[in-house]
Amino acid sequence: MAKNKSKADKEIIKDIDALSCFSINLDGAEEANLYIRKAEPHPPSWATLFAGHVDKKEIGNSSSPGAVLVIELKQAKFMITFGLGRHLIQESLIQRDYGLKVALNSIGEDKLRSIDKASHERTPLNSRTQASKGVDIFELALNTEVDLLTAITGSSKVEKFGAQVTGRDALTLNVKEGLDGFCGILKETHKFYKKGDYKKSFGWVDNFRRIKDDALLDNLDLKLLKLLKTSPIPANCWLAEPEIIDWEATSFYVLEKKGKRTNYYPELRLNKLIEVINSKNNSYFIEDIRKHTISSTDDNYNVIKSWSAYNCLYAEINDSGSLYILQNGSWFNVEDDFVNKVNSAISKIDNYTHKLPIYDHDGEGAYNDFVATHNSYVLMDRKNVVHGGGRSSIEYCDLIKDGADLIHVKRGTASSSLSHLFAQGEVSAELFSSDSKFRAALNKKLPTELKIKDVNARPDTGDYKIVYAIVSEKAGVLTLPFFSKVRLKNAYYHVNNLLGYQMAICKIDVSNNYKVKSKGK
């Protein structure tokens, strides 16, 4: 469906002057035009659909020609594609998620066959889950607060749409109707596009949407550029790794390769990156940031990973009353009610009453070792518990304070790293409360004064506190990416509401020396 019905065909169809155009007389249509890109030498299977309207010779004899039938109704303008015709449409002028919304409104909630999803917690990962028979959304393993639904297939409950419907930006139907039935079908799809029925069973799809509109993307990038050129850079922008980092292997980051004069930083620093880019071109654009490379290295200065600087940018921008988030190189729009729901849940989590020592170390391990030299702290970092049939290695926590505060420490505020941190706390908390074999294995790692007297007895989880301690260079209170807040909200519900633990979060400040130090080879 076209985003704007008033757009002329010549704006919607690419290279329209190079295509053959035929006017089609359809009952119910204000106008209908078929645009054909010829190809040789075999006729396509859909050519017979236009028998009596268009000479087969005009369509061409090929297995891969393309055509677009543009039908303008009173309600909207539609493009029906044949062969490779989808490549003839200007992507920026189509109505995004039109097919997805029609499908959600016309598929029974327990009649789903397939979903395509993408995770926003890590480097964008697209995957498809299928079922041999109709099931509900949860049986297709979609986490409604973590995964982004990009396409859905299921059994149709609308007779005009045929037996099965697939929706993403485009809508795919398998129908027996000939050309004369198209207008009736399109009117019906528009009716279902306008419905809000999907909100009863699939309302969560509105929580966040990946932005695909080119004009909006350009506008958001311009606003981001303005923020990056503000001094000091606002708190709603920072650099973060676009994937989970192995902190045992990672020691430094390189913002610019300069041979022997290369600076190696212990953390990703946005202000340093901007200084580097600005030194090359003080009138830089977003494209310059896209082309700029950031790398991580080990302690021997060997490069481990490299990314586009744009993919390392995290930003939250409020525009016209909506929240837009840049993460891993993609912009998302977050629904207002969902934002309020997440922030409300997060506000219930206590701030940890004990202030942990200042961070001035080359890694989490060194920091944890240092903290454990203080009274009332016990080191558990790297004392993993081997557990389960697959012999999984579980970290109980990094530090224990006063025998009951189970502290999990993490450097940086990247969504991927924090998701791993929150999951680590959940897993160990659940095993400790429910699995006697885990408690028995853990007991061998605990110091004498903290040994569990009876590993078979379920502990009183209310006596324990799960503490997430996050190292952050940003001044003021701890600031988390929105998607990390979503993950923390879910962790809080699991650990506090279901398992009965107390929970707290705290910020570990860094020393001034750590903020500025860099090393050369």
Side-chain angles (χ1 to χ4, degrees):
M1 186 170 74
K3 188 186 301 180
N4 186 342
K5 182 194 171 189
S6 65
K7 289 286 185 184
D9 289 4
K10 64 181 180 182
E11 297 179 81
I12 296 173
I13 305 300
K14 299 176 184 175
D15 302 320
I16 197 168
D17 292 336
L19 307 177
S20 300
C21 175
F22 297 89
S23 179
I24 306 293
N25 184 21
L26 290 180
D27 250 357
E30 294 182 355
E31 187 178 359
N33 295 302
L34 178 68
Y35 298 92
I36 304 167
R37 171 171 286 165
K38 293 183 181 179
E40 300 293 341
H42 304 293
S45 59
W46 49 264
T48 55
L49 183 66
F50 299 100
H53 296 278
V54 180
D55 192 324
K56 286 185 180 180
K57 293 179 182 178
E58 296 297 338
I59 296 178
N61 295 318
S62 174
S63 58
S64 58
V68 181
L69 177 61
V70 181
I71 299 179
E72 185 172 339
L73 304 179
K74 180 181 179 181
Q75 295 87 344
K77 180 177 281 191
F78 297 90
M79 292 79 70
I80 301 175
T81 64
F82 303 91
L84 300 179
R86 64 188 181 278
H87 300 299
L88 301 177
I89 299 174
Q90 294 283 3
E91 289 287 315
S92 61
L93 298 180
I94 66 172
Q95 181 61 56
R96 296 296 182 179
D97 294 333
Y98 151 70
L100 183 63
K101 192 171 287 188
V102 174
L104 288 170
N105 279 322
S106 59
I107 294 174
E109 61 183 71
D110 58 350
K111 299 295 183 182
L112 305 181
R113 295 295 301 276
S114 169
I115 59 169
D116 288 9
K117 60 184 179 179
S119 171
H120 61 226
E121 286 196 305
R122 51 190 177 274
T123 304
L125 178 65
N126 298 312
S127 59
R128 174 172 294 171
T129 308
Q130 295 178 311
S132 58
K133 62 178 183 178
V135 296
D136 66 27
I137 195 73
F138 300 105
E139 289 185 73
L140 288 173
L142 182 133
N143 185 327
T144 58
E145 290 191 332
V146 173
D147 296 325
L148 181 72
L149 183 67
T150 57
I152 193 166
T153 297
S155 300
S156 170
K157 58 185 180 183
V158 182
E159 187 176 350
K160 276 186 179 291
F161 295 168
Q164 187 165 283
V165 177
T166 295
R168 53 178 79 231
D169 290 337
L171 178 68
T172 303
L173 306 176
N174 294 303
V175 295
K176 295 179 180 180
E177 294 278 359
L179 193 59
D180 291 336
F182 279 13
C183 289
I185 293 172
L186 292 176
K187 289 176 183 177
E188 194 73 0
T189 69
H190 189 266
K191 185 174 81 174
F192 274 82
Y193 172 70
K194 291 291 187 180
K195 282 178 175 285
D197 295 0
Y198 73 94
K199 294 180 182 291
K200 297 175 184 175
S201 301
F202 307 111
W204 42 265
V205 301
D206 291 331
N207 286 347
F208 45 82
R209 295 281 181 87
R210 181 173 283 133
I211 304 299
K212 304 174 187 177
D213 183 284
D214 289 340
L216 179 54
L217 289 172
D218 288 343
N219 181 52
L220 291 170
D221 278 344
L222 284 173
K223 290 183 180 296
L224 171 64
L225 192 62
K226 185 177 180 180
L227 290 176
L228 296 178
K229 292 187 176 183
T230 302
S231 182
I233 298 171
N236 58 338
C237 297
W238 63 87
L239 282 185
E241 305 83 359
E243 58 185 292
I244 294 174
I245 295 300
D246 180 359
W247 292 113
E248 298 300 318
T250 303
S251 294
F252 301 108
Y253 296 92
V254 176
L255 302 180
E256 181 185 26
K257 290 183 178 179
K258 296 172 65 176
K260 292 183 178 179
R261 294 186 296 113
T262 297
N263 287 321
Y264 294 84
Y265 294 95
E267 296 289 340
L268 286 175
R269 297 190 171 108
L270 182 53
N271 64 320
K272 294 294 183 184
L273 173 68
I274 297 304
E275 285 177 15
V276 168
I277 294 176
N278 200 51
S279 67
K280 295 180 178 179
N281 180 6
N282 59 14
S283 58
Y284 63 90
F285 298 96
I286 287 294
E287 194 56 33
D288 297 307
I289 299 175
R290 290 184 193 276
K291 293 177 181 177
H292 193 89
T293 299
I294 292 175
S295 301
S296 64
T297 78
D298 60 21
D299 54 6
N300 290 316
Y301 309 104
N302 299 309
V303 173
I304 301 172
K305 298 272 188 179
S306 293
W307 313 281
S308 159
Y310 186 81
N311 285 2
C312 295
L313 277 172
Y314 183 92
E316 296 185 2
I317 292 178
N318 284 287
D319 185 48
S320 301
S322 293
L323 174 63
Y324 296 95
I325 292 174
L326 174 66
Q327 177 176 272
N328 295 348
S330 295
W331 282 101
F332 296 87
N333 175 217
V334 188
E335 202 270 333
D336 292 346
D337 287 344
F338 186 54
V339 173
N340 295 334
K341 175 184 174 184
V342 171
N343 287 334
S344 175
I346 293 299
S347 68
K348 297 175 183 177
I349 301 176
D350 293 333
N351 289 315
Y352 193 45
T353 53
H354 302 286
K355 190 171 181 63
L356 272 72
I358 295 289
Y359 188 95
D360 187 21
H361 300 77
D362 288 334
E364 291 171 15
Y367 176 76
N368 291 332
D369 291 341
F370 169 72
V371 176
T373 63
H374 294 65
N375 289 335
S376 75
Y377 288 96
V378 171
L379 181 69
M380 293 300 294
D381 185 21
R382 303 182 296 279
K383 297 180 181 180
N384 291 4
V385 179
V386 178
H387 177 72
R391 312 305 288 168
S392 297
S393 184
I394 310 296
E395 187 168 75
Y396 180 51
C397 62
D398 291 308
L399 298 159
I400 301 176
K401 178 173 173 54
D402 298 327
D405 294 354
L406 312 180
I407 304 173
H408 300 267
V409 177
K410 183 62 65 179
R411 278 169 59 193
T413 52
S415 286
S416 53
S417 296
L418 293 182
S419 294
H420 185 262
L421 172 71
F422 301 147
Q424 174 184 302
E426 284 184 87
V427 169
S428 67
E430 180 161 359
L431 288 174
F432 180 66
S433 66
S434 64
D435 195 320
S436 60
K437 291 182 179 179
F438 176 80
R439 291 193 292 270
L442 170 65
N443 225 19
K444 298 176 182 178
K445 307 283 184 176
L446 293 172
T448 303
E449 67 273 16
L450 296 183
K451 294 284 187 188
I452 304 168
K453 294 180 180 179
D454 183 1
V455 296
N456 293 312
R458 185 183 177 95
D460 185 346
T461 55
D463 294 337
Y464 294 87
K465 181 178 292 183
I466 307 299
V467 180
Y468 291 121
I470 300 167
V471 180
S472 175
E473 292 187 17
K474 283 188 174 290
V477 298
L478 180 65
T479 304
L480 298 179
F482 180 78
F483 289 141
S484 294
K485 291 181 181 179
V486 174
R487 191 65 185 82
L488 178 59
K489 174 184 76 70
N490 295 338
Y492 178 69
Y493 178 79
H494 184 198
V495 170
N496 181 262
N497 291 21
L498 300 183
L499 299 179
Y501 290 88
Q502 302 173 63
M503 181 186 278
I505 191 164
C506 77
K507 176 189 174 190
I508 300 174
D509 291 316
V510 302
S511 70
N512 290 329
N513 173 60
Y514 181 83
K515 289 180 182 178
V516 299
K517 74 176 180 179
S518 64
K519 293 186 178 182
K521 284 189 178 180

Short mmCIF file of all heavy atoms in Angstrom, two decimals, residues 211-233:
data_model
loop_
_atom_site.label_atom_id
_atom_site.label_comp_id
_atom_site.label_asym_id
_atom_site.label_seq_id
_atom_site.Cartn_x
_atom_site.Cartn_y
_atom_site.Cartn_z
N ILE A 211 12.51 1.72 12.58
CA ILE A 211 12.18 2.77 11.62
C ILE A 211 12.75 2.39 10.25
O ILE A 211 13.93 2.06 10.13
CB ILE A 211 12.76 4.14 12.07
CG1 ILE A 211 12.26 4.50 13.47
CG2 ILE A 211 12.38 5.22 11.07
CD1 ILE A 211 10.77 4.63 13.59
N LYS A 212 11.88 2.47 9.24
CA LYS A 212 12.30 2.15 7.88
C LYS A 212 12.08 3.32 6.93
O LYS A 212 12.50 3.28 5.78
CB LYS A 212 11.53 0.93 7.37
CG LYS A 212 11.67 -0.31 8.26
CD LYS A 212 10.76 -1.43 7.77
CE LYS A 212 10.75 -2.60 8.72
NZ LYS A 212 9.81 -3.66 8.29
N ASP A 213 11.42 4.35 7.40
CA ASP A 213 11.10 5.51 6.57
C ASP A 213 12.36 6.35 6.36
O ASP A 213 12.95 6.86 7.32
CB ASP A 213 10.02 6.34 7.25
CG ASP A 213 9.58 7.52 6.42
OD1 ASP A 213 10.33 8.51 6.36
OD2 ASP A 213 8.49 7.44 5.81
N ASP A 214 12.79 6.50 5.09
CA ASP A 214 14.04 7.18 4.80
C ASP A 214 14.04 8.63 5.28
O ASP A 214 15.05 9.12 5.81
CB ASP A 214 14.33 7.14 3.29
CG ASP A 214 14.70 5.74 2.82
OD1 ASP A 214 15.09 4.93 3.67
OD2 ASP A 214 14.59 5.46 1.61
N ALA A 215 12.91 9.33 5.09
CA ALA A 215 12.84 10.73 5.50
C ALA A 215 12.98 10.87 7.01
O ALA A 215 13.70 11.75 7.51
CB ALA A 215 11.53 11.35 5.02
N LEU A 216 12.31 9.99 7.77
CA LEU A 216 12.40 10.02 9.23
C LEU A 216 13.81 9.65 9.69
O LEU A 216 14.35 10.25 10.62
CB LEU A 216 11.36 9.08 9.85
CG LEU A 216 11.34 9.00 11.38
CD1 LEU A 216 11.20 10.38 12.01
CD2 LEU A 216 10.21 8.08 11.84
N LEU A 217 14.41 8.65 9.04
CA LEU A 217 15.77 8.24 9.39
C LEU A 217 16.75 9.40 9.19
O LEU A 217 17.62 9.66 10.03
CB LEU A 217 16.20 7.04 8.55
CG LEU A 217 15.54 5.71 8.87
CD1 LEU A 217 15.90 4.65 7.83
CD2 LEU A 217 15.94 5.22 10.26
N ASP A 218 16.60 10.12 8.06
CA ASP A 218 17.48 11.26 7.80
C ASP A 218 17.28 12.35 8.85
O ASP A 218 18.25 12.96 9.32
CB ASP A 218 17.19 11.83 6.41
CG ASP A 218 17.67 10.93 5.28
OD1 ASP A 218 18.50 10.05 5.57
OD2 ASP A 218 17.21 11.10 4.15
N ASN A 219 16.03 12.57 9.26
CA ASN A 219 15.72 13.58 10.26
C ASN A 219 16.34 13.21 11.61
O ASN A 219 16.92 14.06 12.30
CB ASN A 219 14.20 13.74 10.40
CG ASN A 219 13.82 14.81 11.41
OD1 ASN A 219 14.29 15.93 11.36
ND2 ASN A 219 12.95 14.44 12.35
N LEU A 220 16.24 11.93 11.99
CA LEU A 220 16.80 11.48 13.26
C LEU A 220 18.33 11.57 13.25
O LEU A 220 18.95 11.96 14.25
CB LEU A 220 16.35 10.05 13.56
CG LEU A 220 14.87 9.88 13.89
CD1 LEU A 220 14.49 8.40 13.91
CD2 LEU A 220 14.53 10.53 15.22
N ASP A 221 18.94 11.23 12.11
CA ASP A 221 20.40 11.34 12.00
C ASP A 221 20.85 12.79 12.11
O ASP A 221 21.90 13.09 12.69
CB ASP A 221 20.88 10.73 10.68
CG ASP A 221 21.02 9.21 10.75
OD1 ASP A 221 21.03 8.67 11.88
OD2 ASP A 221 21.10 8.57 9.69
N LEU A 222 20.07 13.72 11.56
CA LEU A 222 20.40 15.14 11.66
C LEU A 222 20.32 15.61 13.11
O LEU A 222 21.18 16.38 13.58
CB LEU A 222 19.45 15.97 10.79
CG LEU A 222 19.72 15.93 9.27
CD1 LEU A 222 18.61 16.66 8.53
CD2 LEU A 222 21.08 16.56 8.95
N LYS A 223 19.30 15.15 13.83
CA LYS A 223 19.17 15.51 15.24
C LYS A 223 20.31 14.91 16.06
O LYS A 223 20.83 15.53 16.99
CB LYS A 223 17.81 15.04 15.78
CG LYS A 223 16.62 15.83 15.21
CD LYS A 223 15.31 15.37 15.82
CE LYS A 223 14.15 16.17 15.25
NZ LYS A 223 14.22 17.60 15.57
N LEU A 224 20.70 13.68 15.70
CA LEU A 224 21.82 13.04 16.38
C LEU A 224 23.10 13.83 16.14
O LEU A 224 23.89 14.07 17.07
CB LEU A 224 21.98 11.60 15.88
CG LEU A 224 23.23 10.86 16.34
CD1 LEU A 224 23.20 10.66 17.86
CD2 LEU A 224 23.33 9.50 15.65
N LEU A 225 23.32 14.24 14.89
CA LEU A 225 24.53 14.99 14.55
C LEU A 225 24.60 16.29 15.35
O LEU A 225 25.66 16.69 15.84
CB LEU A 225 24.53 15.30 13.04
CG LEU A 225 25.83 15.82 12.45
CD1 LEU A 225 26.94 14.79 12.60
CD2 LEU A 225 25.63 16.19 10.99
N LYS A 226 23.44 16.94 15.52
CA LYS A 226 23.39 18.18 16.30
C LYS A 226 23.79 17.93 17.75
O LYS A 226 24.52 18.72 18.36
CB LYS A 226 21.97 18.76 16.23
CG LYS A 226 21.82 20.12 16.91
CD LYS A 226 20.41 20.68 16.73
CE LYS A 226 20.28 22.03 17.42
NZ LYS A 226 18.90 22.59 17.25
N LEU A 227 23.32 16.78 18.31
CA LEU A 227 23.68 16.44 19.70
C LEU A 227 25.18 16.18 19.82
O LEU A 227 25.81 16.60 20.80
CB LEU A 227 22.90 15.20 20.14
CG LEU A 227 21.40 15.36 20.36
CD1 LEU A 227 20.78 14.01 20.70
CD2 LEU A 227 21.11 16.36 21.47
N LEU A 228 25.74 15.50 18.82
CA LEU A 228 27.17 15.16 18.88
C LEU A 228 28.05 16.40 18.77
O LEU A 228 29.20 16.38 19.21
CB LEU A 228 27.51 14.17 17.76
CG LEU A 228 26.83 12.80 17.83
CD1 LEU A 228 27.23 11.94 16.64
CD2 LEU A 228 27.18 12.09 19.13
N LYS A 229 27.51 17.45 18.17
CA LYS A 229 28.28 18.68 18.00
C LYS A 229 28.01 19.67 19.14
O LYS A 229 28.49 20.81 19.10
CB LYS A 229 27.97 19.31 16.65
CG LYS A 229 28.49 18.46 15.49
CD LYS A 229 28.33 19.14 14.13
CE LYS A 229 28.96 18.29 13.03
NZ LYS A 229 28.91 18.94 11.70
N THR A 230 27.24 19.22 20.14
CA THR A 230 26.98 20.03 21.33
C THR A 230 28.08 19.79 22.36
O THR A 230 28.55 18.66 22.53
CB THR A 230 25.62 19.67 21.95
OG1 THR A 230 24.59 19.85 20.98
CG2 THR A 230 25.33 20.52 23.16
N SER A 231 28.50 20.82 23.04
CA SER A 231 29.54 20.66 24.06
C SER A 231 29.00 21.16 25.41
O SER A 231 28.55 22.30 25.52
CB SER A 231 30.78 21.46 23.67
OG SER A 231 31.81 21.28 24.62
N PRO A 232 29.02 20.31 26.45
CA PRO A 232 29.41 18.90 26.39
C PRO A 232 28.33 18.05 25.74
O PRO A 232 27.17 18.47 25.65
CB PRO A 232 29.57 18.53 27.88
CG PRO A 232 28.60 19.43 28.58
CD PRO A 232 28.63 20.73 27.82
N ILE A 233 28.70 16.85 25.28
CA ILE A 233 27.73 15.96 24.64
C ILE A 233 26.69 15.55 25.68
O ILE A 233 27.02 15.15 26.79
CB ILE A 233 28.45 14.71 24.07
CG1 ILE A 233 29.44 15.14 22.99
CG2 ILE A 233 27.44 13.72 23.50
CD1 ILE A 233 30.34 14.03 22.51
#
